[in-house]
Amino acid sequence: MRPVISVSLNGRAYQLEDDAHAALAGYLEAASRALAGNPDQAEILADLEQAIADKLQRCLGPHKTVIARSEIEQVIQEMGPVDSGPGSGAAHDGVPPGAPSPGSGGAGAATGAAQAGAAAPKRLYQISDGALLSGVCKGVAVYLDVDVTLVRALFVVAAVLTGGLAILVYILLMFIVPYANTPEEQAAARGLPFNARVLVEQAKLKAAQLADVAAHAAMNNHSREARAQWKAEWRKARAEWRQDWRRTRAQWRAQRWAGAAAGPIPTVPPPMPPLAHFISGLIWAALGLVVALVTLGWLLALFSLVTTGAVFGWIPHHLPLWAVVIALILIFQAVVWPLRAARHGMIPRVYGYAYPWHSFLDGLVGLFVLLLVLWYLTHHGHDLQQTFDTLQQNAQPAWHQFLLAWQTLVHGWH
Amino acid sequence: MGEDSKLGALRKGFLEFLVLRIISGSTVYAADILKKMAATDFATQEGTLYPLLSRLRREGLLDYQWQESEAGPPRKYYRLTAAGQRQLTEFDAYWAHLNQTIDSMGS
């Protein structure tokens, strides 16, 4: 059992545990001292009390009516030490909300930064301030405390390597990850006080924004408002989509749990004549083989590039290695993607909607092709090498001619 | 910490300018101002902002009026006075001038 003290904050009653009351009284007393001699002392104190009351409101609920000391201390940290005004030297150097210095005046601000990192919980948010698209990369960068450019670069590389899967992930995150709107959320997104590097970067950004001269102020205000409005609407729409998506996901789950037998079948294609069915099955299998062979060739090309610095004997003189790797990946995706798409389009024709069977058979065919190729390599590897050699011998002059033609074409234009 | 406190002093000097700028955009109340600054370097707290707002009002640069809010008690909504607008224009011009000066110095 604990004694509880009732207080009125700007005309509203709050119940505090006794040590919570002591902490709050200490803060307000320090504030009152700092504002001594300020003609607006009473008004500022009332405003501070109102802000504290607003913050305490979120700690209370139908089953929680008393404020504990830890909650008061959290609120006091967010409020920060009260600045006694111009020229007083009670420096407060922009410590973000969440940095502690409970009731200890200005001195706590400097030492508080280190503790804040440990105390503040971190969450992943989208941050629209300084965002390129939606703020996912920015949010991740802030969460991991690294440069946003690094995250963006890694994301682009991931997008290429995964054949666009990363873009899908980005879009999903865009709809799932919440925005940091309130100061509390923004503090939680960072979790840590700013370090000097991020600080300088943001200062640069701010400088660029503030550099608009006053002459354009009216015009800028207008366009800024329009942009803000557009952004707000876009965000609202996105929130709705997000809800839709959650609902759909819940339905998916429900259906999956209801039983795999009754899968979500929108339409069943009309039954095919047996011959057509057989032929489409053949085409489907052939497409699979082509994809498998292309994949294999691509892997061999990558392997030969990394080990010998040449793609099947062709040495890329003018390009750095990474550029050739990326080019190979892009070419591979460009070739394979339509084949895969065509193949997936045929699944319902060949198998109906028995998805588990399709993936199982797909795996079997892939395994078979792999074994076949391995067998071929072990028995005819030498022949293959010769084939590559002759291919290279034939291809090289053709390639040189192409380069020559290209150069004359380009120079002809100059 | 030495470098950080130097930069902190820089930021502190800009605080007034920034508050005027935020208020010039639209009428706002104190929590709006804090929210706008929260994700930036100028993240600040009630303990700093409220005395600053009160001083700016005393200097006649801004003004407030009470407005009802859907949730909770009425709030003070701040807007710039004509003097505040003039001060902001001056600040803006001086900032542009400072930027040019700084850019023209050094390598």
Side-chain angles (χ1 to χ4, degrees):
Chain A
M1 198 181 73
R2 269 206 107 105
V4 164
I5 299 173
S6 282
V7 296
S8 158
L9 287 174
N10 219 20
R12 197 163 176 161
Y14 288 87
Q15 295 186 302
L16 309 177
E17 282 176 13
D18 52 354
D19 53 357
H21 174 263
L24 181 58
Y27 177 75
L28 287 175
E29 207 186 309
S32 171
R33 262 204 312 279
L35 296 169
N38 188 318
D40 290 328
Q41 184 194 30
E43 197 188 345
I44 297 172
L45 280 175
D47 285 348
L48 288 171
E49 280 187 16
Q50 183 56 52
I52 292 171
D54 285 345
K55 286 179 194 293
L56 287 180
Q57 206 58 44
R58 63 160 197 238
C59 306
L60 295 172
H63 301 293
K64 173 126 174 28
T65 54
V66 177
I67 309 281
R69 185 196 171 116
S70 62
E71 287 160 340
I72 279 286
E73 275 174 353
Q74 174 68 32
V75 167
I76 289 174
Q77 281 168 23
E78 286 173 22
M79 297 289 295
V82 173
D83 210 339
S84 45
S88 69
H92 169 57
D93 56 359
V95 179
S101 53
S104 60
T111 53
Q115 299 159 23
K122 232 178 180 188
R123 278 205 59 192
L124 183 60
Y125 283 103
Q126 294 187 63
I127 296 174
S128 52
D129 187 52
L132 203 65
L133 270 177
S134 173
V136 170
C137 283
K138 172 90 177 168
V140 169
V142 165
Y143 184 78
L144 298 175
D145 198 20
V146 292
D147 197 305
V148 64
T149 315
L150 182 71
V151 177
R152 289 194 183 124
L154 282 178
F155 168 72
V156 169
V157 171
V160 173
L161 283 178
T162 58
L165 195 72
I167 295 173
L168 207 71
V169 171
Y170 184 98
I171 292 170
L172 281 180
L173 286 176
M174 208 164 106
F175 287 97
I176 297 167
V177 176
Y179 267 102
N181 285 326
T182 68
E184 283 79 14
E185 285 168 349
Q186 274 153 2
R190 283 172 198 276
L192 288 163
F194 313 133
N195 58 36
R197 180 172 45 73
V198 179
L199 195 141
V200 169
E201 235 161 64
Q202 290 186 345
K204 275 189 213 151
L205 190 83
K206 273 278 136 26
Q209 283 173 1
L210 291 180
D212 317 351
V213 197
H216 297 283
M219 204 183 75
N220 278 349
N221 270 351
H222 176 70
S223 69
R224 214 178 301 150
E225 261 168 37
R227 218 179 309 145
Q229 198 187 345
W230 183 84
K231 263 196 170 175
E233 276 171 18
W234 162 239
R235 221 168 278 163
K236 203 174 108 197
R238 193 127 39 99
E240 281 165 15
W241 292 337
R242 197 153 27 206
Q243 262 182 348
D244 281 352
W245 187 77
R246 284 204 190 113
R247 219 171 296 136
T248 316
R249 188 178 53 177
Q251 280 172 0
W252 282 349
R253 280 195 185 144
Q255 273 172 351
R256 196 179 297 168
W257 287 112
I265 301 167
T267 51
V268 178
M272 282 181 168
L275 184 68
H277 189 251
F278 178 72
I279 290 174
S280 57
L282 267 187
I283 295 174
W284 187 80
L287 280 175
L289 263 177
V290 172
V291 170
L293 286 176
V294 171
T295 308
L296 200 83
W298 177 68
L299 286 176
L300 281 174
L302 266 187
F303 182 73
S304 87
L305 177 70
V306 173
T307 50
T308 65
V311 182
F312 300 139
W314 170 65
I315 301 164
H317 287 291
H318 306 290
L319 294 170
L321 186 68
W322 61 265
V324 183
V325 171
I326 287 178
L328 272 179
I329 291 167
L330 284 177
I331 291 169
F332 172 69
Q333 289 298 341
V335 171
V336 160
W337 182 78
L339 292 174
R340 276 196 189 138
R343 214 154 152 270
H344 274 268
M346 290 178 73
I347 289 170
R349 281 163 179 265
V350 181
Y351 290 107
Y353 276 95
Y355 286 108
W357 278 107
H358 126 251
S359 49
F360 179 67
L361 279 178
D362 217 15
L364 267 189
V365 171
L367 196 68
F368 176 71
V369 170
L370 195 70
L371 286 176
L372 200 74
V373 169
L374 278 178
W375 174 82
Y376 185 84
L377 277 181
T378 46
H379 288 260
H380 301 276
H382 190 63
D383 299 351
L384 201 68
Q385 189 60 49
Q386 277 183 341
T387 316
F388 276 140
D389 286 347
T390 49
L391 247 178
Q392 177 200 337
Q393 277 161 15
N394 294 333
Q396 233 159 11
W399 175 247
H400 278 297
Q401 271 176 353
F402 171 75
L403 277 185
L404 221 66
W406 175 251
Q407 273 164 3
T408 49
L409 192 72
V410 171
H411 287 295
W413 275 346
H414 278 294
Chain B
M1 207 61 211
E3 191 186 354
D4 211 39
S5 72
K6 268 182 204 168
L7 294 172
L10 248 178
R11 284 198 300 274
K12 194 170 150 58
F14 278 115
L15 207 57
E16 188 178 326
F17 180 18
L18 236 84
V19 168
L20 287 181
R21 236 187 126 86
I22 290 171
I23 295 174
S24 80
S26 57
T27 57
V28 287
Y29 78 110
D32 284 334
I33 301 175
L34 288 170
K35 201 186 289 181
K36 269 221 156 129
M37 294 171 130
T40 71
D41 288 326
F42 297 94
T44 191
Q45 298 170 290
E46 283 89 340
T48 306
L49 182 68
Y50 285 17
L52 175 63
L53 285 174
S54 126
R55 179 168 61 79
L56 292 174
R57 192 189 62 80
R58 264 206 319 281
E59 291 171 357
L61 301 180
L62 50 85
D63 198 8
Y64 66 76
Q65 64 191 100
W66 291 98
Q67 268 181 35
E68 295 293 330
S69 70
E70 302 105 67
R75 293 161 168 169
K76 285 177 182 175
Y77 275 83
Y78 290 90
R79 61 189 163 90
L80 286 194
T81 60
Q85 194 61 54
R86 270 198 305 279
Q87 173 82 73
L88 178 60
T89 312
E90 241 169 71
F91 265 141
D92 269 324
Y94 187 57
W95 171 246
H97 170 73
L98 263 187
N99 252 346
Q100 277 176 0
T101 311
I102 292 169
D103 280 350
S104 66
M105 299 282 158
S107 50

mmCIF file of all heavy atoms in Angstrom, chain A residues 212-228, chain B residues 21 24-25 85 92:
data_model
loop_
_atom_site.group_PDB
_atom_site.id
_atom_site.type_symbol
_atom_site.label_atom_id
_atom_site.label_comp_id
_atom_site.label_asym_id
_atom_site.label_seq_id
_atom_site.Cartn_x
_atom_site.Cartn_y
_atom_site.Cartn_z
ATOM 1 N N ASP A 212 16.297 29.831 -49.167
ATOM 2 C CA ASP A 212 15.304 30.587 -49.950
ATOM 3 C C ASP A 212 15.253 31.998 -49.396
ATOM 4 O O ASP A 212 15.075 32.198 -48.210
ATOM 5 C CB ASP A 212 13.900 30.007 -49.809
ATOM 6 C CG ASP A 212 13.860 28.508 -49.876
ATOM 7 O OD1 ASP A 212 14.889 27.897 -50.210
ATOM 8 O OD2 ASP A 212 12.813 27.957 -49.583
ATOM 9 N N VAL A 213 15.363 32.947 -50.261
ATOM 10 C CA VAL A 213 15.388 34.331 -49.770
ATOM 11 C C VAL A 213 13.963 34.804 -49.545
ATOM 12 O O VAL A 213 12.998 34.225 -50.062
ATOM 13 C CB VAL A 213 16.130 35.227 -50.781
ATOM 14 C CG1 VAL A 213 16.534 36.551 -50.150
ATOM 15 C CG2 VAL A 213 17.372 34.508 -51.289
ATOM 16 N N ALA A 214 13.836 35.859 -48.750
ATOM 17 C CA ALA A 214 12.519 36.314 -48.322
ATOM 18 C C ALA A 214 11.634 36.735 -49.488
ATOM 19 O O ALA A 214 10.413 36.636 -49.409
ATOM 20 C CB ALA A 214 12.674 37.479 -47.354
ATOM 21 N N ALA A 215 12.246 37.189 -50.569
ATOM 22 C CA ALA A 215 11.468 37.655 -51.719
ATOM 23 C C ALA A 215 10.530 36.573 -52.244
ATOM 24 O O ALA A 215 9.426 36.869 -52.706
ATOM 25 C CB ALA A 215 12.410 38.104 -52.827
ATOM 26 N N HIS A 216 10.972 35.325 -52.134
ATOM 27 C CA HIS A 216 10.159 34.228 -52.647
ATOM 28 C C HIS A 216 9.255 33.642 -51.581
ATOM 29 O O HIS A 216 8.590 32.640 -51.831
ATOM 30 C CB HIS A 216 11.068 33.117 -53.174
ATOM 31 C CG HIS A 216 11.904 33.558 -54.327
ATOM 32 N ND1 HIS A 216 11.401 33.682 -55.592
ATOM 33 C CD2 HIS A 216 13.199 33.933 -54.393
ATOM 34 C CE1 HIS A 216 12.356 34.100 -56.396
ATOM 35 N NE2 HIS A 216 13.455 34.266 -55.697
ATOM 36 N N ALA A 217 9.239 34.273 -50.418
ATOM 37 C CA ALA A 217 8.574 33.649 -49.274
ATOM 38 C C ALA A 217 7.108 33.347 -49.572
ATOM 39 O O ALA A 217 6.636 32.236 -49.321
ATOM 40 C CB ALA A 217 8.681 34.548 -48.057
ATOM 41 N N ALA A 218 6.416 34.332 -50.146
ATOM 42 C CA ALA A 218 4.982 34.152 -50.356
ATOM 43 C C ALA A 218 4.725 32.984 -51.308
ATOM 44 O O ALA A 218 3.917 32.093 -51.031
ATOM 45 C CB ALA A 218 4.379 35.434 -50.922
ATOM 46 N N MET A 219 5.449 32.995 -52.422
ATOM 47 C CA MET A 219 5.278 31.945 -53.414
ATOM 48 C C MET A 219 5.613 30.586 -52.819
ATOM 49 O O MET A 219 4.869 29.622 -52.984
ATOM 50 C CB MET A 219 6.190 32.235 -54.591
ATOM 51 C CG MET A 219 5.750 31.625 -55.877
ATOM 52 S SD MET A 219 6.973 31.987 -57.123
ATOM 53 C CE MET A 219 8.268 30.876 -56.672
ATOM 54 N N ASN A 220 6.740 30.568 -52.116
ATOM 55 C CA ASN A 220 7.172 29.318 -51.509
ATOM 56 C C ASN A 220 6.139 28.804 -50.524
ATOM 57 O O ASN A 220 5.866 27.619 -50.477
ATOM 58 C CB ASN A 220 8.493 29.509 -50.773
ATOM 59 C CG ASN A 220 9.643 29.438 -51.744
ATOM 60 O OD1 ASN A 220 9.443 29.053 -52.891
ATOM 61 N ND2 ASN A 220 10.798 29.814 -51.301
ATOM 62 N N ASN A 221 5.609 29.726 -49.747
ATOM 63 C CA ASN A 221 4.605 29.325 -48.765
ATOM 64 C C ASN A 221 3.467 28.606 -49.455
ATOM 65 O O ASN A 221 2.995 27.583 -49.002
ATOM 66 C CB ASN A 221 4.062 30.552 -48.029
ATOM 67 C CG ASN A 221 4.892 30.839 -46.801
ATOM 68 O OD1 ASN A 221 5.739 30.032 -46.449
ATOM 69 N ND2 ASN A 221 4.647 31.950 -46.168
ATOM 70 N N HIS A 222 3.076 29.189 -50.593
ATOM 71 C CA HIS A 222 1.944 28.606 -51.290
ATOM 72 C C HIS A 222 2.257 27.180 -51.726
ATOM 73 O O HIS A 222 1.526 26.241 -51.433
ATOM 74 C CB HIS A 222 1.589 29.466 -52.490
ATOM 75 C CG HIS A 222 0.497 28.875 -53.314
ATOM 76 N ND1 HIS A 222 -0.803 28.813 -52.878
ATOM 77 C CD2 HIS A 222 0.522 28.258 -54.517
ATOM 78 C CE1 HIS A 222 -1.540 28.213 -53.789
ATOM 79 N NE2 HIS A 222 -0.758 27.868 -54.798
ATOM 80 N N SER A 223 3.405 27.027 -52.435
ATOM 81 C CA SER A 223 3.721 25.704 -52.975
ATOM 82 C C SER A 223 3.984 24.717 -51.840
ATOM 83 O O SER A 223 3.667 23.537 -51.940
ATOM 84 C CB SER A 223 4.928 25.782 -53.900
ATOM 85 O OG SER A 223 6.074 26.059 -53.151
ATOM 86 N N ARG A 224 4.542 25.241 -50.751
ATOM 87 C CA ARG A 224 4.809 24.349 -49.628
ATOM 88 C C ARG A 224 3.504 23.823 -49.055
ATOM 89 O O ARG A 224 3.367 22.667 -48.718
ATOM 90 C CB ARG A 224 5.583 25.107 -48.547
ATOM 91 C CG ARG A 224 6.563 24.224 -47.805
ATOM 92 C CD ARG A 224 7.327 25.018 -46.792
ATOM 93 N NE ARG A 224 8.063 26.101 -47.397
ATOM 94 C CZ ARG A 224 8.345 27.259 -46.780
ATOM 95 N NH1 ARG A 224 7.939 27.462 -45.552
ATOM 96 N NH2 ARG A 224 9.023 28.194 -47.382
ATOM 97 N N GLU A 225 2.507 24.739 -48.993
ATOM 98 C CA GLU A 225 1.209 24.310 -48.482
ATOM 99 C C GLU A 225 0.605 23.252 -49.380
ATOM 100 O O GLU A 225 0.108 22.231 -48.918
ATOM 101 C CB GLU A 225 0.262 25.491 -48.392
ATOM 102 C CG GLU A 225 0.161 26.076 -46.989
ATOM 103 C CD GLU A 225 -0.555 27.405 -47.017
ATOM 104 O OE1 GLU A 225 -1.500 27.561 -47.806
ATOM 105 O OE2 GLU A 225 -0.152 28.301 -46.256
ATOM 106 N N ALA A 226 0.711 23.505 -50.689
ATOM 107 C CA ALA A 226 0.145 22.555 -51.637
ATOM 108 C C ALA A 226 0.817 21.203 -51.478
ATOM 109 O O ALA A 226 0.156 20.166 -51.447
ATOM 110 C CB ALA A 226 0.333 23.073 -53.069
ATOM 111 N N ARG A 227 2.135 21.242 -51.342
ATOM 112 C CA ARG A 227 2.872 20.005 -51.209
ATOM 113 C C ARG A 227 2.469 19.287 -49.919
ATOM 114 O O ARG A 227 2.251 18.082 -49.898
ATOM 115 C CB ARG A 227 4.371 20.295 -51.184
ATOM 116 C CG ARG A 227 5.176 19.248 -51.925
ATOM 117 C CD ARG A 227 6.638 19.593 -51.889
ATOM 118 N NE ARG A 227 6.912 20.962 -52.307
ATOM 119 C CZ ARG A 227 7.873 21.708 -51.786
ATOM 120 N NH1 ARG A 227 8.633 21.245 -50.822
ATOM 121 N NH2 ARG A 227 8.084 22.929 -52.234
ATOM 122 N N ALA A 228 2.363 20.076 -48.837
ATOM 123 C CA ALA A 228 1.995 19.479 -47.552
ATOM 124 C C ALA A 228 0.625 18.827 -47.649
ATOM 125 O O ALA A 228 0.420 17.718 -47.149
ATOM 126 C CB ALA A 228 1.994 20.556 -46.460
ATOM 127 N N ARG B 21 10.111 31.102 -38.027
ATOM 128 C CA ARG B 21 9.865 30.526 -39.348
ATOM 129 C C ARG B 21 8.708 29.537 -39.306
ATOM 130 O O ARG B 21 7.854 29.531 -40.195
ATOM 131 C CB ARG B 21 11.127 29.826 -39.833
ATOM 132 C CG ARG B 21 11.599 30.351 -41.161
ATOM 133 C CD ARG B 21 12.720 29.542 -41.687
ATOM 134 N NE ARG B 21 12.395 29.095 -43.026
ATOM 135 C CZ ARG B 21 12.614 29.807 -44.117
ATOM 136 N NH1 ARG B 21 13.167 30.991 -44.052
ATOM 137 N NH2 ARG B 21 12.270 29.344 -45.290
ATOM 138 N N SER B 24 5.495 31.317 -38.945
ATOM 139 C CA SER B 24 5.112 32.096 -40.119
ATOM 140 C C SER B 24 4.340 31.236 -41.119
ATOM 141 O O SER B 24 3.542 31.744 -41.899
ATOM 142 C CB SER B 24 6.346 32.679 -40.795
ATOM 143 O OG SER B 24 6.973 31.695 -41.581
ATOM 144 N N GLY B 25 4.568 29.916 -41.103
ATOM 145 C CA GLY B 25 3.903 29.044 -42.069
ATOM 146 C C GLY B 25 2.400 28.990 -41.858
ATOM 147 O O GLY B 25 1.623 29.169 -42.781
ATOM 148 N N GLN B 85 6.959 39.375 -38.513
ATOM 149 C CA GLN B 85 7.164 39.110 -39.940
ATOM 150 C C GLN B 85 8.387 39.888 -40.441
ATOM 151 O O GLN B 85 9.208 39.343 -41.178
ATOM 152 C CB GLN B 85 5.902 39.529 -40.707
ATOM 153 C CG GLN B 85 5.829 39.014 -42.133
ATOM 154 C CD GLN B 85 5.817 37.490 -42.184
ATOM 155 O OE1 GLN B 85 4.988 36.836 -41.533
ATOM 156 N NE2 GLN B 85 6.756 36.904 -42.911
ATOM 157 N N ASP B 92 15.946 36.103 -42.515
ATOM 158 C CA ASP B 92 16.116 35.357 -43.762
ATOM 159 C C ASP B 92 17.200 35.985 -44.625
ATOM 160 O O ASP B 92 18.089 35.293 -45.137
ATOM 161 C CB ASP B 92 14.798 35.352 -44.542
ATOM 162 C CG ASP B 92 13.948 34.156 -44.177
ATOM 163 O OD1 ASP B 92 14.519 33.078 -43.936
ATOM 164 O OD2 ASP B 92 12.723 34.299 -44.126
#
